[in-house]
């Protein structure tokens, strides 16, 4: 990777600071709840992103390192079987201890230790792991915003976070044609990428046209009003079952008040802005909408090849592609091999980035993934025909 040491140290310190900055609008009580298993408490994100550096960098490379508190290695491990036991995911919100103050002290302790390590040692292994830790923390910064929005949006008081991360109207419109042929996708050796993006390879595409704009709230409201949520012909079987079990009638956060649709945003409950892209849709909803339009979702290869033709970065875009290993995918041995590879089943790929993606974290080869029923992430729809 050959990243200069000083850049890694700078990126490390600014990333650590940004996570704490995102929490500034929170009151102490906001750090604790876990309303559903998918949504982790902000306190847990603060601890877990710190644990990653302690577990994988300091305990491996700092010979005299003493953990801040050995129990924290158990509290803040997420899913790494190779790194030992952990608090069950669905119980993260039951912990009133360690306190937020202790977790912030933990952050300070580990940040200083990593900074000291970076000043004293220059090995490529350390730089690579710290860089992975930085990108891991950036990923959690985005999850933190999904989770704060859910924690705020699902309680009667619907508190206001602030007017950050607002969407804007898509400026482009119409369709762009892409000629069929052999194209190349996947990350090459320029800059950082996760293991799941590596394995640059050829793909064969047929002719297709891709929409330059994300689907708007106006178009999605037309879908709702024309019976999109009551016509099983548009839905996957599992999607239809989910709709019925969950009582879905609209995207997450939409509510009808006095006959009018509104939605919860980070800056409070608002009337639907028909010009903005629709967000908080599941893969099932994105697919049903596409079927209603006699279109489909792009495959991830179609998305990546066409990505220079449109601007992206407002919402993660569902693709029709299952999350599978690329040809030549290499899963590292040990705990870090658990980062991506073991999730390559029952998930769909999303491409692009969202307004909550930290600066410097987006790239056109990035393969995000979620289960098809998930919709608390900042996800939208782009169509292909
Ligand atoms: Fe994580």
């Amino acid at each position: 990777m050959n990243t200069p040491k000083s850049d890694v140290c700078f990126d490390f310190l600014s990333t650590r600071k940004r996570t704490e900055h995102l929490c500034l609008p929170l009151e102490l009580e906001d750090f604790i709840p876990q309303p559903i298993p998918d949504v982790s408490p902000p306190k847990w994100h603060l601890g877990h992103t710190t644990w990653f550096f302690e577990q994988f960098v300091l305990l491996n490379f700092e010979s005299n390192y003493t953990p801040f508190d050995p129990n924290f290695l158990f509290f803040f491990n997420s899913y790494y079987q190779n790194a030992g036991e952990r608090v069950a995911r669905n119980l993260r919100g039951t912990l009133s201890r360690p306190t937020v103050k202790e977790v912030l002290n933990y952050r300070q302790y580990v940040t200083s230790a990593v900074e000291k390590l970076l000043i004293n040692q220059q090995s490529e292994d350390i730089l690579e792991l710290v860089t992975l830790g930085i990108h891991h923390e950036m990923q959690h910064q985005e999850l933190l915003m999904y989770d704060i929005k859910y924690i705020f949006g699902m309680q009667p008081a619907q508190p206001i976070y602030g007017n950050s991360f607002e969407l804007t109207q898509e400026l482009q419109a119409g369709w762009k044609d892409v000629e069929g042929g052999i194209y190349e996708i996947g990350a090459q050796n320029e800059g950082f990428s996760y293991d799941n993006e590596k394995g640059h390879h050829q793909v064969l595409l047929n002719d297709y046209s891709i929409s330059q704009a994300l689907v708007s709230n106006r178009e999605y409201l037309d879908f709702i009003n024309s019976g999109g949520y009551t016509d099983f012909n548009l839905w996957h079987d599992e999607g239809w079952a989910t709709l019925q079990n969950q009582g879905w009638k609209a995207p997450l956060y939409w509510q009808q008040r006095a006959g009018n649709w509104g939605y919860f945003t980070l800056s409070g409950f608002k009337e639907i802005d028909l010009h903005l892209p629709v967000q908080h849709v599941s893969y099932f909803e994105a697919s049903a909408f596409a079927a209603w339009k006699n279109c489909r979702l792009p495959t991830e290869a179609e998305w990546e090849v066409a990505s220079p033709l449109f601007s992206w970065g407002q919402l993660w875009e569902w693709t029709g592609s299952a999350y599978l290993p690329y040809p030549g995918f290499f899963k590292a041995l040990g705990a870090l091999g658990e980062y991506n590879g073991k999730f390559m089943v029952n998930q769909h790929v999303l491409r692009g980035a969202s307004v909550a993606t930290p600066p410097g974290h987006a790239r056109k080869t990035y393969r995000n993934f979620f289960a098809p029923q998930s919709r608390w992430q900042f996800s939208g729809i782009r169509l292909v025909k």
Side-chain angles (χ1 to χ4, degrees):
M1 202 177 324
N2 293 320
T3 320
K5 188 181 76 156
S6 56
D7 290 356
V8 173
C9 195
F10 178 83
D11 290 348
F12 169 72
L13 292 173
S14 53
T15 303
R16 298 289 288 164
K17 210 173 282 173
R18 186 173 183 274
T19 307
E20 287 148 27
H21 186 81
L22 289 172
C23 292
L24 288 179
L26 304 187
E27 297 293 341
L28 198 54
E29 292 79 358
D30 300 328
F31 284 89
I32 312 299
Q34 182 177 26
I36 53 171
D38 275 345
V39 170
S40 293
K43 182 178 74 175
W44 185 86
H45 285 290
L46 292 173
H48 167 70
T49 48
T50 304
W51 167 87
F52 194 94
F53 288 108
E54 183 170 67
Q55 177 73 46
F56 297 127
V57 178
L58 296 172
L59 288 175
N60 281 330
F61 292 100
E62 188 62 280
S63 43
N64 296 321
Y65 181 72
T66 309
F68 177 80
D69 179 336
N71 290 323
F72 282 30
L73 296 168
F74 170 73
F75 294 155
F76 294 120
N77 179 3
S78 52
Y79 54 68
Y80 296 86
Q81 308 271 9
N82 282 285
E85 296 293 319
R86 68 214 75 89
V87 172
R89 181 175 189 164
N90 61 324
L91 298 181
R92 289 172 188 166
T94 63
L95 306 181
S96 64
R97 304 298 171 99
T99 63
V100 173
K101 200 202 277 180
E102 285 165 332
V103 173
L104 290 172
N105 288 340
Y106 175 45
R107 286 186 67 85
Q108 188 53 50
Y109 180 87
V110 167
T111 300
S112 301
V114 172
E115 185 185 12
K116 200 173 118 215
L117 179 73
L118 287 171
I119 290 167
N120 295 330
Q121 291 197 46
Q122 316 197 15
S123 91
E124 196 59 28
D125 283 352
I126 293 176
L127 295 183
E128 255 185 55
L129 268 178
V130 172
T131 302
L132 179 64
I134 291 169
H135 284 269
H136 171 256
E137 183 146 354
M138 287 173 158
Q139 239 180 321
H140 275 276
Q141 288 173 352
E142 178 151 3
L143 289 169
L144 179 65
M145 293 319 304
Y146 304 164
D147 293 356
I148 290 172
K149 185 168 182 180
Y150 197 93
I151 290 166
F152 279 12
M154 289 297 149
Q155 53 182 308
Q158 296 200 320
I160 288 173
Y161 174 84
N163 56 0
S164 346
F165 310 114
E166 306 255 342
L167 299 181
T168 54
Q169 184 174 354
E170 295 272 289
L171 295 176
Q172 295 168 298
W175 298 83
K176 282 278 185 187
D177 297 332
V178 180
E179 206 180 316
I182 294 175
Y183 292 91
E184 293 184 358
I185 66 163
Q188 288 175 298
N189 286 332
E190 73 286 336
F192 175 83
S193 53
Y194 288 119
D195 56 359
N196 63 4
E197 302 162 63
K198 296 189 204 301
H200 190 77
H201 64 284
Q202 292 188 325
V203 291
L204 175 62
L205 302 181
N206 293 306
D207 293 349
Y208 62 102
S209 300
I210 191 159
S211 170
Q212 285 191 280
L214 295 173
V215 169
S216 69
N217 285 324
R218 180 190 301 280
E219 293 170 283
Y220 203 83
L221 194 58
D222 286 346
F223 168 67
I224 296 173
N225 289 338
S226 73
Y229 281 78
T230 54
D231 182 0
F232 50 77
N233 290 300
L234 299 170
W235 295 76
H236 290 101
D237 185 56
E238 203 181 320
W240 184 247
T242 308
L243 173 154
Q244 292 190 306
N245 290 339
Q246 304 289 321
W248 287 352
K249 292 184 167 62
L252 181 64
Y253 298 122
W254 286 40
Q255 271 177 36
Q256 236 168 353
R257 293 186 182 175
N260 295 319
W261 284 106
Y263 46 27
F264 176 74
T265 72
L266 285 167
S267 51
F269 191 83
K270 288 180 176 173
E271 225 176 89
I272 304 280
D273 185 332
L274 296 173
H275 300 103
L276 299 184
V278 66
Q279 67 168 328
H280 293 296
V281 286
S282 61
Y283 172 76
F284 294 136
E285 288 162 300
S287 299
F289 177 86
W292 178 71
K293 280 280 198 186
N294 289 318
C295 293
R296 60 180 175 82
L297 302 176
T299 64
E300 62 171 321
E302 286 171 334
W303 190 96
E304 188 171 323
V305 167
S307 61
L309 302 174
F310 47 78
S311 62
W312 46 277
Q314 293 226 70
L315 293 170
W316 287 98
E317 302 171 23
W318 284 108
T319 73
S321 299
Y323 180 47
L324 293 171
Y326 275 173
F329 171 70
F330 171 74
K331 192 166 121 178
L333 291 174
L336 290 172
E338 295 185 58
Y339 199 110
N340 280 310
K342 70 183 189 181
F343 299 108
M344 290 175 174
V345 66
N346 299 336
Q347 314 248 10
H348 269 264
V349 173
L350 297 93
R351 290 304 201 97
S354 86
V355 283
T357 307
H361 193 60
R363 52 192 175 270
K364 70 170 188 172
T365 57
Y366 199 118
R367 305 178 76 202
N368 202 349
F369 56 92
F370 280 95
Q373 71 277 12
S374 301
R375 52 186 208 160
W376 96 110
Q377 74 281 7
F378 294 1
S379 50
I381 311 170
R382 185 185 304 278
L383 297 175
V384 150
K385 60 181 181 183

